[in-house]
Amino acid sequence: MPGEPFPVDAAIARAVRAAGRVSSPYGTRPWRFVVLERRVGVKLDPDRVLRVADPHGQGARVACGATVYALRLVLAVTGWSSSVAVLPDRRDPDLVAEVRVGPRHRTTAEERSLALAVERGGGNRWPVLRRAVPEPARAALAKAARLEGARLHLIEDPDDQATVAAVIRRADFLRSRDDEYRAELRARQAREEGTYGLDTIGGGPEPLLAVLTTPTDTTVDQVIAGQALQRVLLEADIAGLAVSLLPRPVELPQTRSALHTTTGATPHAVLRIGFGHGSGPAPRRAGSEPGRAVTGFSPLG
């Protein structure tokens, strides 16, 4: 009947399908979902972590955090509350987080809007036009990050804009000279769709650059950053904005340090935000793997 929640099994299945469509830098999708009764484990898949681009797996754990937000959101719109435990089993460090289904939940209008965006594929990834982002949209993006425990630094000061743009160009230059990185990327692109997360920055003014940060850089911070990033991307989609993720500046120690100096916090993502050439999410390659669900997982507690 109207207003009744989905059965738990159906809600979890829908949430896992939606989470599997979350975007990740380089299209790695470095996660596995492990389902047992009313719990969904989000596990890091070491075989899908890039050895050169992400040697310590920080970016992969941020990507796993993004799926955690998608799981929570879709459970909410199917009528169920949820809670999150980060690193719930010390014996299994690849178990990044566990989403636990709670009591029934009354879905909000905001959750419905965000869920429509996540089920479309998680954001508008068309190329960004050089057109200013209005203040209400900027405020909504900053609020989205804040609600998930992170901070989205909108780079509005001209000196900071020049600094961050220089950091991005420096990261692009260093990566362009890294033969191992380029070989890894070619191998990845041979197997996966598109070039998500590979945008560079050109000359001239940018519509909006932003840096997503947390105070420190623990696994908990990385999962928080991923959830905040996903919510920001969905809010941008609702506002009709396109977002390009620029992973290189947060991958390299020297450029990551420069971003830390500018923002005063640990950077997890650099975003280039504006209005796109198209509407809705950019198309994905036909037959791309949306996610891999495994049953039979039993965590501690």
Side-chain angles (χ1 to χ4, degrees), residues 176-197:
S176 73
R177 301 298 180 93
D178 187 332
D179 291 338
E180 285 188 306
Y181 171 82
R182 290 189 297 163
E184 182 175 64
L185 213 57
R186 283 194 299 270
R188 188 75 211 160
Q189 290 175 326
R191 297 192 300 271
E192 302 291 338
E193 54 162 311
T195 57
Y196 180 85

Side-chain angles (χ1 to χ4, degrees), residues 30 42-44 54 56-66 68 84-90 92-98 148-150 213-228 256 266-268:
V42 179
K43 297 197 71 171
L44 185 71
D54 190 19
H56 303 295
Q58 290 107 320
R61 286 186 288 274
V62 171
C64 288
V68 169
V84 177
V86 178
L87 294 177
D89 186 347
R90 293 182 180 179
D92 186 359
D94 289 339
L95 179 58
V96 173
E98 183 180 84
E148 296 303 320
T213 70
T214 59
T216 56
D217 194 25
T218 65
T219 296
V220 172
D221 286 292
Q222 292 157 12
V223 173
I224 287 172
Q227 293 178 84
R256 187 179 177 91
T266 299
H268 297 281

Side-chain angles (χ1 to χ4, degrees), residues 78-91:
T78 52
W80 297 99
S81 65
S82 62
S83 61
V84 177
V86 178
L87 294 177
D89 186 347
R90 293 182 180 179
R91 299 170 302 181

